Amino acid sequence: MKNVKSYLLLFVFSFLLIGCEDDSHGEKGYSGTNYVSFNAAGTQRMVVRLDTGFEISPLSFGTVKAAQEDTQVKLIFDAENSTAVLGVDFDIVSDVVVLEKGKSIGEFGIKVYEASATTDGKIAKFKISSPTIANAIFRQDLEVTLALSCQFDNE
């Protein structure tokens, strides 16, 4: 196990040394290939409160370095592996967003409906892609639990 950790640490350190170069101010910055991924690791929970009808929650993504030009990023719903139903339990406000030049963080809006929500929640699985930015080898799949808020009485 120590051998695997040593090799992994060596790989990460090598990646940082090879992919960095001085910018115009003498500071180190990543100069390698840009990659896109979700910001959340594996799972996320989105809650809709009672008597709201629906709520829009952000689903964020990021890139390794700032976009060199305005870039499209697409959110892909994996209906086959989800228990939530698109158009019934939730809607994607826009499945394609533009990450503006110079930015490295963006977000999609997910509209979660109260009418079909349960306190246990339903699972919506997503993938991410871009026609101009490569997919990272990490955080390409995201499982989102869409749930009805559990209200507690303080009386």
Side-chain angles (χ1 to χ4, degrees):
M1 188 66 174
K2 283 185 178 182
N3 241 359
V4 172
K5 286 182 182 178
S6 297
Y7 284 119
L8 185 59
L9 185 60
L10 181 62
F11 172 74
V12 170
F13 186 67
S14 300
F15 177 72
L16 290 173
L17 285 178
I18 293 170
C20 294
E21 63 182 40
D22 287 343
D23 67 6
S24 62
H25 303 290
E27 295 178 11
K28 294 287 183 188
Y30 177 71
S31 62
T33 303
N34 202 5
Y35 296 99
V36 65
S37 66
F38 289 112
N39 288 340
T43 62
Q44 185 174 333
R45 188 170 179 86
M46 293 182 178
V47 178
V48 60
R49 290 173 290 167
L50 290 170
D51 301 323
T52 58
F54 67 88
E55 290 195 34
I56 298 176
S57 298
L59 198 155
S60 66
F61 65 90
T63 57
V64 176
K65 62 181 182 178
Q68 300 297 310
E69 58 188 24
D70 286 358
T71 304
Q72 289 186 346
V73 180
K74 182 170 179 65
L75 180 66
I76 303 162
F77 174 58
D78 181 2
E80 186 175 311
N81 295 305
S82 299
T83 57
V85 178
L86 182 64
V88 175
D89 299 307
F90 74 100
D91 272 314
I92 301 169
V93 176
S94 179
D95 64 345
V96 177
V97 296
V98 174
L99 182 64
E100 295 175 359
K101 179 181 179 179
K103 303 283 183 181
S104 60
I105 296 175
E107 64 183 34
F108 300 98
I110 304 296
K111 188 181 217 180
V112 183
Y113 295 112
E114 176 191 1
S116 57
T118 66
T119 53
D120 290 338
K122 296 178 184 177
I123 304 296
K125 294 190 177 186
F126 298 98
K127 296 182 181 295
I128 193 167
S129 73
S130 171
T132 56
I133 299 177
N135 282 13
I137 59 171
F138 51 88
R139 296 183 182 167
Q140 288 301 298
D141 300 300
L142 183 63
E143 179 178 294
V144 178
T145 302
L146 309 171
L148 183 64
S149 176
C150 181
Q151 303 294 319
F152 294 100
D153 287 333
N154 291 328
E155 301 176 341

